[in-house]
Amino acid sequence: MTERLPSWIQEWLTVVVPLGQVLLILLAAWLLRAVTRRVVDRLCTRRGFPPELAIAGRRVIGFLIYAAALLLVLERLGVSGTVLWTAFTGFAAVGAVAFFAAWSVLSNIFCTVLILTTRPFRLYDHIEILENGEKPGLKGRVIDVNLVYTTLQEQREDGSDTVLRVPNNLFFQRTVRRWRTAPAPPQTSAGEPHSEFAG
């Protein structure tokens, strides 16, 4: 039937029809989301679920509805869903591998920010990182804090100095003992250090 129409109308229809379909898809998605919001709210009110569950349910359902609507719109505009899915899974896989590979570095950088803001210790403080309450751990004077490591200068019993480079995320996995000014004292016979603890 459209072949009998003039060519300018046929060209116009090739633009208007997909645009109308896109608008109908968006309107249907909006109406479906509004209906599901009310259903979720009523269900949570009747069953006595906490409000947080209703909010989470509304967000998940809204995301699924709009994601499906986006896929339908792209299909109406001529974009293949298979191509989109292949591209998405490829990007997701690369992103997951990159995030996993960089997780240790990102964790240390984030912990550096926490160290600089919460200040559990400062430069030139003497600290000890304890494995648990009974065993002695890494001990030394803080001489540097960078994005990945905190450098401790430790004095050994023979008088030599060594340098320890401790990953910054370790400070948030272990207990840290801090002396404000004096070097870390030796252990007493009972195993209790004479120290001033800093909170």
Side-chain angles (χ1 to χ4, degrees):
M1 180 178 178
T2 57
E3 290 84 7
R4 297 179 182 177
L5 297 172
S7 61
W8 65 272
I9 294 180
Q10 292 180 14
E11 291 176 5
W12 186 70
L13 285 176
T14 59
V15 174
V16 171
V17 170
L19 186 61
Q21 291 174 339
V22 166
L23 291 175
L24 283 175
I25 290 170
L26 293 177
L27 179 63
W30 181 77
L31 289 173
L32 184 60
R33 182 175 179 268
V35 169
T36 55
R37 280 179 69 121
R38 290 190 179 191
V39 169
V40 168
D41 286 341
R42 285 185 183 176
L43 183 64
C44 288
T45 303
R46 286 183 184 173
R47 300 290 181 186
F49 294 136
E52 294 84 6
L53 185 62
I55 293 171
R58 287 197 307 258
R59 286 181 181 168
V60 168
I61 291 172
F63 173 77
L64 292 175
I65 289 171
Y66 283 131
L70 178 65
L71 290 175
L72 288 173
V73 165
L74 290 173
E75 185 181 348
R76 290 289 90 202
L77 296 177
V79 180
S80 170
T82 306
V83 172
L84 281 176
W85 182 250
T86 305
F88 173 75
T89 54
F91 284 129
V94 170
V97 169
F99 182 77
F100 182 75
W103 170 248
S104 178
V105 174
L106 293 175
S107 170
N108 283 315
I109 292 172
F110 179 68
C111 289
T112 302
V113 173
L114 290 178
I115 287 171
L116 295 176
T117 54
T118 61
R119 300 184 70 121
F121 55 82
R122 298 176 182 166
L123 277 178
Y124 311 116
D125 281 347
H126 294 267
I127 63 171
E128 182 177 8
I129 305 168
L130 304 171
E131 289 291 327
N132 55 41
E134 301 167 359
K135 289 172 43 177
L138 304 172
K139 187 189 307 186
R141 185 171 67 116
V142 180
I143 58 173
D144 185 35
V145 179
N146 62 31
L147 284 177
V148 179
Y149 295 104
T150 295
T151 305
L152 303 179
Q153 182 181 23
E154 94 177 321
Q155 289 185 338
R156 303 179 73 75
E157 294 177 1
D158 60 1
S160 62
D161 286 344
T162 57
V163 173
L164 300 172
R165 294 173 61 94
V166 181
N168 287 330
N169 61 7
L170 192 64
F171 292 103
F172 295 93
Q173 300 170 10
R174 304 279 190 269
T175 303
V176 177
R177 177 181 287 145
R178 175 179 131 185
W179 291 269
R180 292 183 192 272
T181 53
Q187 299 281 338
T188 63
S189 58
E192 292 294 327
H194 300 289
S195 63
E196 178 187 355
F197 295 99

